[in-house]
Amino acid sequence: QSALTQPASVSGSPGQSITISCTGTSSDVGGYNYVSWYQQHPGKAPKLMIYDVNSRPSGISNRFSGSKSGNTASLSISGLQAEDEADYYCSSFTSSNTVVFGGGTKLTVL
Amino acid sequence: EVQLVESGGGLVQPGGSLRLSCAASGFTFGIYWMSWVRQAPGKGLEWVANIKEDGSEKYYVDSVKGRFTISRDNTKNSLYLQMNSLRAEDTAVYYCARARPGLYFDYWGQGTLVTVSS
């Protein structure tokens, strides 16, 4: 049950695009199309942004998109806005019928 | 409107016990897997436990196996986490979350803080 690997921080200017990676193993990210992404603002509960690798819940902007290649999943955000500044976490279903999260990535909008 | 409201957090001494509750409303509680996820101060999210719709299957992160027990009462629309033999490293905000197929979490509570300290 090792955590998925995410970069500690990423940054971008308003209007730009960024990508956050999430690397696991064949027992989690690579083995299932069950990767999800969460946004968390300080002091708030996490919010689901992407599920099943690339599906968006109702109400989530199409500026957010997800993808996966092998054992690495990615979250892309286009047209960065100030309110996108937050922590982002990936998670994956695992072969043990459990869940593993990434360590989190702090997104700074410059 | 889906709502998840946690309660039961607080300060407890190492080795002590605490029972967290999560009151669910706005959806048919008994047809969803449910989970607990925690977040230590200044740290990332950590999945803790899952329970199947009818309570027949339960899964735990290795660090809490044998110490924590997840349960539910579908007649009361409630989820529970019994935490025994608490350690300092269990200090965290504990979130209740509704799980969907593939174990992603579409709704979260506001969290309840558990502090383990002497």
Side-chain angles (χ1 to χ4, degrees):
Chain A
Q1 292 176 330
S2 298
L4 306 177
T5 300
Q6 297 182 234
S9 63
V10 298
S11 63
S13 299
Q16 288 188 331
S17 298
I18 64 96
T19 297
I20 300 171
S21 62
C22 170
T23 301
T25 69
S26 58
S27 295
D28 38 65
V29 174
Y32 309 91
N33 287 324
Y34 290 142
V35 176
S36 52
W37 290 89
Y38 303 88
Q39 177 192 67
Q40 187 179 36
H41 287 108
K44 300 295 187 181
K47 178 182 179 181
L48 177 67
M49 306 301 286
I50 296 288
Y51 66 96
D52 294 354
V53 176
N54 56 13
S55 296
R56 274 188 313 276
S58 174
I60 300 302
S61 169
N62 59 10
R63 297 187 299 106
F64 292 84
S65 62
S67 63
K68 191 186 84 166
S69 177
N71 295 337
T72 298
S74 298
L75 172 70
S76 297
I77 309 174
S78 62
L80 271 179
Q81 299 179 1
E83 63 257 35
D84 297 334
E85 185 163 294
D87 294 325
Y88 290 83
Y89 296 90
C90 63
S91 80
S92 175
F93 177 84
T94 82
S95 57
S96 304
N97 209 12
T98 61
V99 177
V100 60
F101 282 96
T105 298
K106 181 177 180 58
L107 169 61
T108 300
V109 180
L110 302 171
Chain B
E1 178 194 6
V2 172
Q3 284 198 320
L4 298 169
V5 180
E6 302 93 337
S7 60
L11 175 63
V12 61
Q13 292 189 338
S17 298
L18 213 54
R19 188 196 196 205
L20 305 183
S21 299
C22 171
S25 61
F27 65 102
T28 305
F29 180 73
I31 64 172
Y32 289 91
W33 282 70
M34 296 295 295
S35 299
W36 289 99
V37 177
R38 67 183 179 183
Q39 186 170 35
K43 302 298 184 181
L45 301 173
E46 180 182 40
W47 168 81
V48 175
N50 284 340
I51 185 168
K52 194 177 178 179
E53 299 94 327
D54 61 359
S56 62
E57 294 182 34
K58 305 175 184 181
Y59 300 89
Y60 301 91
V61 68
D62 286 347
S63 59
V64 309
K65 283 180 182 176
R67 300 189 300 122
F68 290 11
T69 301
I70 188 172
S71 63
R72 63 192 297 162
D73 185 338
N74 290 346
T75 66
K76 296 183 178 179
N77 291 339
S78 293
L79 177 72
Y80 306 101
L81 187 67
Q82 177 66 43
M83 304 185 295
N84 299 330
S85 303
L86 282 162
R87 306 167 180 167
E89 54 264 37
D90 296 318
T91 295
V93 173
Y94 284 73
Y95 294 100
C96 163
R98 189 176 81 170
R100 303 306 307 275
L103 295 180
Y104 68 91
F105 308 116
D106 60 349
Y107 286 95
W108 298 65
Q110 85 289 348
T112 186
L113 176 62
V114 172
T115 303
V116 184
S117 174
S118 55

